[in-house]
Amino acid sequence: MTELIVAQGTLWLLLVTVAMTMLLLLWRIREFYRHVAPLGALTPAQPSVSHLERHTFIASDGSCCTIGGIRPDGQRQLLLFISGTCPVSKKMIPVTRSFCDRENISLIFVTDDTAEGEQKLVRTLDIDSGHLINNTETGRMLAVDRVPFAVLLKQSGDVEARGLVNNREHLESLLTVTETGYESIQSFLAAHPHALAS
């Protein structure tokens, strides 16, 4: 009988210890998330232009595709720079399409692939070929050195926000940049180091 009581007491002691350890872990994880900044769209380099003039390009289907400049429809425009050899780019195509549909943003895909790679993109990833242009100069002007890279343009053609994106949260951070008035999430956190503490 004594052995049973000791065994049961030991089990209860272990149970309480495990419960206390779990509570401590939860508290530490909460503190960790309060101190770690959410990663927004990363802006690795500054572009040579802050305004994109109106340019008309020949899209993959042979039609005319216009980017930049004042948009008569009043929509913002998102340029998503992608590559057919980049798996993250392939993942971001449907995510970005859904995001732009929800936010009422005009979406243009930009690539610098070969003609064969461009056609493969259209076929395998179900991209509207009327919204895909093959151009390197625009990427150079906007300091795009890695993909997938998103550039959000205002209705006037001014660069509103830009950065590397690999999930929906990164795309949404471009809109957050617009709301805060800072050019990137990183610059906002640098100016407000205690923003996450609240």
Side-chain angles (χ1 to χ4, degrees):
M1 187 67 176
T2 306
E3 291 176 357
L4 185 60
I5 292 171
V6 170
Q8 196 168 23
T10 304
L11 283 173
W12 274 106
L13 184 62
L14 283 171
L15 187 62
V16 170
T17 304
V18 168
M20 289 177 65
T21 304
M22 291 296 290
L23 286 172
L24 182 62
L25 277 172
L26 284 172
W27 178 76
R28 294 296 292 168
I29 289 170
R30 245 173 125 185
E31 287 296 306
F32 174 75
Y33 277 114
R34 284 182 62 192
H35 289 93
V36 175
L39 179 63
L42 183 64
T43 53
Q46 289 303 311
S48 59
V49 296
S50 59
H51 174 82
L52 203 60
E53 295 293 342
R54 185 179 179 88
H55 292 285
T56 301
F57 298 94
I58 302 300
S60 292
D61 65 353
S63 64
C64 291
C65 182
T66 303
I67 63 172
I70 298 173
R71 291 184 58 81
D73 59 8
Q75 276 188 313
R76 288 180 290 186
Q77 193 172 48
L78 184 77
L79 308 180
L80 183 67
F81 293 82
I82 57 173
S83 170
T85 58
C86 172
V88 183
S89 291
K90 294 176 181 178
K91 180 193 87 169
M92 285 304 296
I93 288 169
V95 173
T96 307
R97 190 184 290 123
S98 167
F99 170 78
C100 288
D101 285 345
R102 192 191 71 186
E103 299 294 337
N104 193 30
I105 297 172
S106 172
L107 175 62
I108 300 292
F109 297 102
V110 186
T111 185
D112 62 356
D113 282 338
T114 62
E116 293 170 0
E118 182 184 340
Q119 292 307 314
K120 187 177 178 183
L121 262 175
V122 172
R123 285 195 313 271
T124 59
L125 299 175
D126 192 30
I127 293 177
D128 180 357
S129 55
H131 290 86
L132 173 67
I133 61 172
N134 197 327
N135 176 264
T136 56
E137 185 59 34
T138 305
R140 276 198 292 269
M141 285 193 302
L142 295 169
V144 176
D145 57 357
R146 284 173 281 177
V147 293
F149 196 98
V151 178
L152 182 63
L153 300 175
K154 295 180 182 179
Q155 297 93 329
S156 61
D158 292 335
V159 175
E160 195 164 3
R162 52 188 288 281
L164 285 165
V165 292
N166 61 28
N167 56 45
R168 191 181 189 96
E169 286 72 25
H170 288 177
L171 290 169
E172 289 172 350
S173 77
L174 298 177
L175 299 181
T176 304
V177 165
T178 304
E179 292 162 7
T180 61
Y182 287 84
E183 62 182 10
S184 68
I185 291 293
Q186 290 79 20
S187 61
F188 172 78
L189 291 174
H192 302 85
H194 302 295
L196 293 174
S198 60

